[in-house]
Amino acid sequence: MSKKQNLIAVGADDGFFNTKVYLGEGNQIIIPSRARLGAAKRISLMGDNDSVITSYKTNDMVYTVGASESEQIVHDEYPMSDLNRVIVHHALRQAGLGGKDVAMFTGLPLKKYYTTSSQSKNEKLIARKEANFNQQIFVNDQPNEFTANIKLHKVGPEAASLLYDYVIEEVKNKDGFIEHQDRIKHQIAVIDIGGRTTDICIIDQGDVALDTVETINAGMHNIYDALKDYARDELSLDRVPDSIIDRMFTNGVLKVGARDRDVSDIITNSKAMVASNIIQAVNNKIGSKAKMLDAVLFIGGGSEVLAQQLMNSYDNEFTVKDPVMANARSFYKAMKCGILPNI
């Protein structure tokens, strides 16, 4: 990235569960990946509510970010959708980038970034995601509020981009980074547990071993879906607001009238099932190679939630520091440095 452009580097991990933005030196923000069609119909009684609920107009449609009920975003087209665009722009505004010129790096799941048939980059899909942020977007009915100006947008592979975070260390010196070149020679496995999917791959001396690339449908949404099923039955509702599921997951109870229903067993059993599915997929894909690796690295928000269930799965396993932000941090370093072999 040319310094003459004077763009603000941004790593944005626009997942199905949360959207994470990283701006360097620990400056980061996380928002739920939730939006719905239509303008906001709620007014705060406690002052300015802009940080929670905001409406945006794009592609001649109005969407609201931060509402308690969200459109279904767990589908293959989400990374190229209007909903994705408004949620990411909302996160950028919450990070203080409204009206600023930015260079943004985002990602795609491994099985989307690479084609299965030819084991090469899916250039068509990558181009579609890059182009998704070329479309105009405005803060609805607020002429003095601005969205970020995305002047440059690059897309990389989720999980595999962790190589940047593994090799490049942020430090407080004039350059801001130390490159641990010896780590490029390492052989590492990366397991990225996200909202809808888990990505698995081996990075061997700076190259992605494409025969080890796997994406399975296992993540945080499996746990939330189990809670939603229970809540629908108990509350006799067709659709349960996400805010209720959030409280169930956080507190371990569902409030039904004046009574609390314990849902801790549902959470525990769902965690065990998801963790078991992930470890089985890792074993199927990596198998005995795990013992020969320098490290098996768990990243993503799911790795934090499932830490107890995943513990001691491998002798050389590590959960990276602040695993929720690992992809966004890696994307930021890729945009700032871009010195590693092509992945």
Side-chain angles (χ1 to χ4, degrees), residues 12 68 74 80 119 141 166 187-188 192 201 213 244 251 283 299 306:
S68 60
V74 184
M80 288 71 66
Q119 292 193 336
D141 293 332
Y166 186 70
Q187 191 179 44
I188 61 175
D192 178 11
C201 71
V213 167
I244 291 179
N251 302 325
N283 289 339
I299 67 171
L306 300 174

Side-chain angles (χ1 to χ4, degrees), residues 30 47 58 128 197 199 243 261 309-310 343:
I30 304 174
T58 186
R128 283 186 61 204
T197 61
D199 281 332
S243 56
R261 300 287 177 85
Q309 287 76 17
L310 297 170
I343 58 174

Side-chain angles (χ1 to χ4, degrees), residues 28-102:
Q28 62 193 48
I29 189 169
I30 304 174
I31 68 167
S33 296
R34 294 175 187 166
R36 63 172 176 80
L37 186 63
K41 296 180 180 179
R42 293 171 56 187
I43 299 175
S44 173
L45 299 177
M46 303 298 291
D48 183 14
N49 202 35
D50 180 65
S51 64
V52 178
I53 299 177
T54 309
S55 293
Y56 297 87
K57 187 173 184 178
T58 186
N59 204 20
D60 294 326
M61 303 293 288
V62 175
Y63 297 88
T64 297
V65 184
S68 60
E69 291 193 40
S70 173
E71 302 290 338
Q72 175 61 259
I73 70 166
V74 184
H75 55 82
D76 289 343
E77 286 295 305
Y78 170 68
M80 288 71 66
S81 68
D82 289 353
L83 282 168
N84 175 269
R85 190 182 316 119
V86 298
I87 291 171
V88 170
H89 268 286
H90 185 68
L92 295 176
R93 286 188 66 241
Q94 297 309 303
L97 297 176
K100 305 290 180 64
D101 293 342
V102 306

Side-chain angles (χ1 to χ4, degrees), residues 14 20 81-83 93 169 217 237:
D14 48 341
K20 287 78 66 177
S81 68
D82 289 353
L83 282 168
R93 286 188 66 241
E169 178 185 359
N217 289 322
L237 294 174

